[in-house]
Amino acid sequence: MVTESSFEVVHAVLSAEPISVDQAIAAVESDTAGAVVSFSGVVRNHDGGKAVDRLSYSAHPTAHQVLADVVATLIAEHAGETGQPVRIWAAHRVGKLEIGDPALVCAVSASHRGQAFAICSELVDRIKEQVPIWKEQFFSDGTVEWVGAGE
């Protein structure tokens, strides 16, 4: 666990195994938290007007470190905002996923809902923008599309 100021990173990993919102929430809950906010980005059955059958996520070898850096930067930017503990949990799947599977799960606990919502939202946005993970979409019509490659 990494701690800076009152922030605690409970979990921040890429996972080949299924990830769980319930596990994320349970990991960040505490007696000091008045709010627990979670996000689950799940595989949907469509994209761009086309039916999607499944996805596969691939990550650059540096993705684990980039994820850790994203979380550390977020913590540094929010350090000093509160004397109360803020707990963070984040995981992104890699490998094959089916419709309905969680691909990105984040949870944040804080004393107040505003801070928990803000940090969770920023965390999700930064992971999606900065961590080098590419999505391969398999469409029902047999076509395949890579998303994120070359960005």
Side-chain angles (χ1 to χ4, degrees):
M1 293 182 196
V2 175
T3 303
E4 180 176 314
S5 177
S6 58
F7 284 79
E8 181 181 359
V9 179
V10 178
H11 189 75
V13 301
L14 301 182
S15 175
E17 300 300 318
I19 50 180
S20 161
V21 176
D22 291 339
Q23 179 184 8
I25 291 170
V28 299
E29 288 178 322
S30 77
D31 292 342
T32 62
V36 176
V37 173
S38 65
F39 169 82
S40 179
V42 298
V43 178
R44 63 181 179 266
N45 67 358
H46 66 280
D47 189 45
K50 295 173 71 172
V52 173
D53 287 340
R54 68 187 185 287
L55 301 179
S56 181
Y57 284 95
S58 300
H60 189 274
T62 63
H64 291 281
Q65 185 58 52
V66 174
L67 177 58
D69 293 346
V70 163
V71 173
T73 300
L74 182 66
I75 289 170
E77 291 172 2
H78 288 275
E81 288 181 2
T82 179
Q84 298 300 314
V86 174
R87 295 169 55 97
I88 297 172
W89 193 104
H92 200 300
R93 280 287 306 274
V94 291
K96 296 177 183 178
L97 283 80
E98 300 297 325
I99 304 304
D101 286 346
L104 172 60
V105 172
C106 297
V108 174
S109 67
S111 291
H112 301 285
R113 71 180 180 274
Q115 185 180 34
F117 273 113
I119 291 172
C120 191
S121 180
E122 280 186 57
L123 179 62
V124 170
D125 288 346
R126 290 181 189 198
I127 289 170
K128 292 184 69 59
E129 292 166 1
Q130 298 176 27
V131 180
I133 297 173
W134 302 279
K135 175 172 61 174
E136 186 178 14
Q137 298 187 109
F138 296 87
F139 295 103
S140 298
D141 66 6
T143 59
V144 176
E145 174 185 65
W146 282 93
V147 179
E151 292 180 1

